Amino acid sequence: MLKRRGFWGLILGLLVGLLFCVVGQSVQANADYTISPYRVNVQVLKNGDANVTQTMTYQFDDDYHGVFDVQDMRGIQGGQLTDVQYQVNNGGTVSGVSATDGQNGSYELTQNKHRMKVKLYQTVSDGDQMTVTYRFHLRGIIKNYRDTAELNWKVIGTGWDVQLNHVKVTIQLPQTKISKLQAWTHGPLSGHTQVDRQQGRVVMTVAQNPAESFVESHLLFPTTVTATNTNKVAKDRLVAAQQQEAKLARQANQKRQQSLWLRRGVFLALVILLIGFGARSWRWYHRHPANKYTHPTPINHSFEVPGVTPALARSLADGMSPNTDALAGEILAAAARKEITLEPVKNGRKDTVKLIKNGEQTNSFLDKCFAKIGSDDSFTLQELKKFGKHDKTDELNKWFSEWQESVDNVADAYYDENNLNLRERLIGTRLGLSALIILTAAASWLLGATAGKIGIVSGLVVLIAFWVLVGRFYRHIDRNNAKGLVQVNELTGFRRMLKDIGHFNTAEIGDLILWEQILPYAAAFGLAQKVADKLAVDFGSAALDTDLVVFYPLFYGGLGLPLGDALSDSLSTALQSADTSTDSSISGGSGGFSGGSSGGFGGGSGGGAF
């Protein structure tokens, strides 16, 4: 069975890893700002020059002095910066002023034949938003060959240190109705190129362009569009450029198709794994049914003293290991058996209770406390807390765990081991299948946005139905055997009686000897003080002083300590203190981006914040 589980775990792990490989992005160094949206508008002129407007919006997660932008000019005939504008948050648009003093609103331009770098000084803080617009005039971006005009340009270069989001690049030619306009874009394969020949416009969009990645635009159109262009080359270019782009487009389409089939394969594998795991699990549970028992008639209120110890009573009623309330109940029971004496100690604001050893101890936790804490076979709750605070070796928790284990061993006789194992396995099955359902629903986005939305809704419906079904099945698996069901039924009625103690006259139910036996159980259920207060009302202080010999000084002696709560709280505090345990167009029409590069000019442009 372990080998089979290991096999399915390995398969699931491989599929999860493959899913992240398919949908994951390369890890980039984190910057304390994002850029969204990013817009570039290129207005091509008749002479082959272009007016470029570059607009980006920064979202800052830290304080910065300003931002900068680099415009690569390699491969063209030069250019100049014509304007810088910015807007901080909801303020008005401000025009930058050329200066070298670094004051807010100033910009500094450094330029050579390879690039222009613009530094805009404007102090921003964490949470600020700033939109910056740069305008450039670039000369000679178009080449007129004998048979075609060409624009081949990395509009977005590799100099960006952060991902650009919601990217849109618009190139408007100086003429409309260009029937022979062709365009290709190289960059992320998720991008799209829209060629509008009627308007003489090309629009490129991509949701995210990763850091240090480029978007390259390659346009071919008749030379008459840029008729006055002096940047001419006396050779033919059209066929070679078309062949180059056709090859790149085929390669991109092949990669895109491979990616699609890989995504489909991952999704199909998850569906098969989900169905297979679900069918295998159903078959296993069908072949290994739970043991069935006849349930006793529920008891509403029980006034009988349980036939088990207070700690075991709390453990069985909760179906888990005993807690500090249960230990407090055991301490009161030990006092009732005269194994220990509980003595109030008035000490100003630090009133406490002293536990005095009278003889052999049946409680292992108490036995170790008497041996290691306090002196003269006694210790106070104050000393218990202090010991826990300085318990570097975690002894106190070890003693408590050993005591819990001893109670758990006795409780085993009341449980059905087969059903408990079945319940534990069902929890693992529920978690495993839930993870597969969620993973499969998430993987549906690999097939597209529409499929993703359908997958998420369907996955949610399946997940809810699955949890309801498993929950009903789980509740019908009895953790207790026949003996345990009877005992738990009595304990449930007994605890309900203690909770509803205010509705009864305790003096009419039994004498104080009975209630002295009940008080340790009330402490184990965290209800000791509630019961003690009710006894005071029904019996009167004189009767309590005479007949409630063991517990009267503790509950009614004026110490101001609710004993059951004091014991449990002291134990919890001490134990916690001791705990030392984070597709691309081949023809040049509209379509997806291509990979590779057509060798366009530029490529070093970029920017960021400083």
Side-chain angles (χ1 to χ4, degrees):
M1 185 61 65
L2 289 175
K3 291 182 178 179
R4 290 185 177 180
R5 289 182 182 177
F7 171 77
W8 284 106
L10 177 61
I11 294 299
L12 180 58
L14 289 174
L15 285 170
V16 172
L18 186 56
L19 175 63
F20 281 109
C21 287
V22 172
V23 301
Q25 297 284 346
S26 59
V27 177
Q28 302 289 343
N30 289 328
D32 293 324
Y33 63 91
T34 58
I35 298 178
S36 178
Y38 181 91
R39 300 285 187 262
V40 180
N41 287 282
V42 181
Q43 184 74 45
V44 179
L45 306 179
K46 277 280 188 179
N47 64 357
D49 293 353
N51 293 324
V52 179
T53 302
Q54 187 181 23
T55 303
M56 62 212 70
T57 299
Y58 292 81
Q59 313 283 341
F60 295 99
D61 294 322
D62 203 349
D63 301 340
Y64 284 90
H65 299 295
V67 296
F68 68 93
D69 183 75
V70 177
Q71 179 61 55
D72 197 309
M73 295 191 297
R74 289 173 295 177
I76 62 175
Q77 297 174 346
Q80 64 187 47
L81 175 70
T82 59
D83 189 28
V84 178
Q85 292 183 331
Y86 67 94
Q87 179 184 29
V88 179
N89 298 322
N90 296 320
T93 300
V94 179
S95 294
V97 178
S98 178
T100 59
D101 55 7
Q103 296 297 310
N104 280 347
S106 68
Y107 68 87
E108 185 177 342
L109 174 66
T110 57
Q111 181 174 353
N112 55 41
K113 65 179 181 180
H114 298 303
R115 68 175 192 168
M116 285 186 287
K117 182 176 181 179
V118 188
K119 295 181 69 174
L120 172 65
Y121 294 90
Q122 175 61 48
T123 302
V124 290
S125 302
D126 182 8
D128 281 346
Q129 172 182 295
M130 182 164 69
T131 300
V132 185
T133 300
Y134 304 94
R135 292 184 173 87
F136 302 93
H137 179 81
L138 303 182
R139 297 190 297 273
I141 72 166
I142 308 295
K143 285 185 179 181
N144 277 24
Y145 292 88
R146 287 187 304 211
D147 56 354
T148 187
E150 179 184 52
L151 169 64
N152 198 4
W153 179 24
K154 290 184 176 67
V155 186
I156 300 174
T158 58
W160 291 99
D161 292 332
V162 297
Q163 175 177 276
L164 304 178
N165 301 287
H166 303 291
V167 175
K168 182 178 180 181
V169 178
T170 303
I171 300 178
Q172 178 65 57
L173 296 176
Q175 180 178 316
T176 60
K177 299 179 181 179
I178 308 173
S179 60
K180 294 183 179 181
L181 172 60
Q182 295 177 285
W184 301 266
T185 308
H186 309 283
L189 296 183
S190 59
H192 181 75
T193 302
Q194 179 66 41
V195 179
D196 187 347
R197 296 183 173 92
Q198 188 69 21
Q199 297 298 323
R201 181 186 302 139
V202 177
V203 179
M204 295 147 278
T205 55
V206 62
Q208 293 96 26
N209 186 61
E212 302 177 1
S213 300
F214 64 81
V215 174
E216 181 181 63
S217 179
H218 190 188
L219 274 64
L220 298 176
F221 48 89
T223 57
T224 54
V225 175
T226 51
T228 61
N229 185 14
T230 60
N231 187 12
K232 298 180 179 181
V233 179
K235 66 176 183 179
D236 294 335
R237 171 64 177 161
L238 181 60
V239 174
Q242 290 172 334
Q243 290 175 344
Q244 177 191 24
E245 291 296 347
K247 180 180 179 181
L248 291 172
R250 282 191 291 267
Q251 291 172 348
N253 291 337
Q254 184 179 14
K255 290 181 180 179
R256 191 177 285 111
Q257 192 66 30
Q258 290 172 346
S259 176
L260 175 60
W261 281 110
L262 180 59
R263 295 195 301 270
R264 287 175 176 173
V266 170
F267 178 73
L268 182 60
L270 285 170
V271 171
I272 293 173
L273 183 60
L274 176 59
I275 294 173
F277 188 22
R280 179 177 176 273
S281 299
W282 179 87
R283 185 169 62 251
W284 191 92
Y285 289 108
H286 183 71
R287 293 178 178 177
H288 300 80
N291 294 325
K292 300 292 184 180
Y293 299 97
T294 301
H295 286 228
T297 303
I299 299 174
N300 190 25
H301 294 102
S302 173
F303 299 92
E304 297 291 331
V305 178
V308 296
T309 64
L312 184 57
R314 180 63 186 267
S315 178
L316 291 174
D318 290 345
M320 60 182 63
S321 296
N323 58 8
T324 53
D325 284 342
L327 182 55
E330 287 295 317
I331 292 174
L332 291 186
R337 295 192 302 268
K338 305 296 191 295
E339 293 180 9
I340 63 172
T341 299
L342 298 175
E343 182 180 287
V345 177
K346 293 187 70 65
N347 187 21
R349 291 182 300 174
K350 295 184 178 181
D351 294 344
T352 186
V353 175
K354 177 183 284 189
L355 290 78
I356 304 171
K357 180 180 179 180
N358 295 330
E360 199 71 25
Q361 299 296 302
T362 58
N363 187 293
S364 63
F365 181 83
L366 281 178
D367 192 38
K368 291 182 173 64
C369 286
F370 282 123
K372 291 289 188 75
I373 304 173
S375 60
D376 299 327
D377 288 336
S378 68
F379 66 91
T380 65
L381 295 182
Q382 200 85 22
E383 290 172 327
L384 178 66
K385 292 180 184 178
K386 185 176 180 180
F387 181 86
K389 187 176 182 180
H390 298 90
D391 184 14
K392 303 302 182 182
T393 59
D394 205 23
E395 282 189 285
L396 203 61
N397 275 303
K398 292 175 183 176
W399 301 344
F400 185 70
S401 296
E402 290 171 359
W403 170 77
Q404 283 182 308
E405 186 176 355
S406 68
V407 178
D408 290 341
N409 290 335
V410 179
D412 285 344
Y414 297 86
Y415 291 111
D416 185 308
E417 184 177 0
N418 176 71
N419 284 8
L420 288 179
N421 292 334
L422 200 59
R423 277 175 158 236
E424 184 177 354
R425 183 186 179 100
L426 188 60
I427 292 173
T429 301
R430 179 170 64 180
L431 292 175
L433 278 172
S434 296
L436 271 175
I437 292 171
I438 295 171
L439 190 60
T440 304
S444 64
W445 285 94
L446 296 172
L447 308 181
T450 302
K453 293 175 183 178
I454 295 174
I456 292 296
V457 173
S458 302
L460 183 60
V461 171
V462 171
L463 187 63
I464 294 174
F466 172 66
W467 273 68
V468 170
L469 179 64
V470 171
R472 292 180 58 185
F473 183 36
Y474 184 87
R475 287 191 297 271
H476 285 82
I477 302 176
D478 293 316
R479 63 188 175 199
N480 298 104
N481 53 28
K483 176 184 175 182
L485 287 171
V486 172
Q487 185 65 68
V488 169
N489 186 45
E490 294 174 356
L491 292 171
T492 302
F494 182 76
R495 177 155 63 175
R496 189 178 295 114
M497 179 273 293
L498 295 176
K499 288 182 177 180
D500 298 340
I501 195 73
H503 301 303
F504 309 110
N505 187 331
T506 57
E508 295 178 356
I509 294 171
D511 55 25
L512 284 171
I513 296 176
L514 171 66
W515 289 103
E516 192 171 57
Q517 298 175 54
I518 289 177
L519 273 171
Y521 293 91
F525 288 115
L527 300 166
Q529 197 61 40
K530 183 177 184 179
V531 174
D533 291 344
K534 180 60 174 172
L535 294 177
V537 172
D538 294 344
F539 284 93
S541 59
L544 293 170
D545 189 16
T546 302
D547 298 327
L548 203 64
V549 178
V550 176
F551 300 129
Y552 181 81
L554 299 164
F555 286 98
Y556 312 104
L559 189 63
L561 285 172
L563 182 65
D565 293 342
L567 279 171
S568 179
D569 291 347
S570 296
L571 292 166
S572 295
T573 301
L575 290 167
Q576 289 171 2
S577 298
D579 187 9
T580 56
S581 349
T582 341
D583 288 350
S584 297
S585 172
I586 293 176
S587 64
S590 301
F593 286 13
S594 299
S597 171
S598 55
F601 69 83
S605 59
F610 60 90

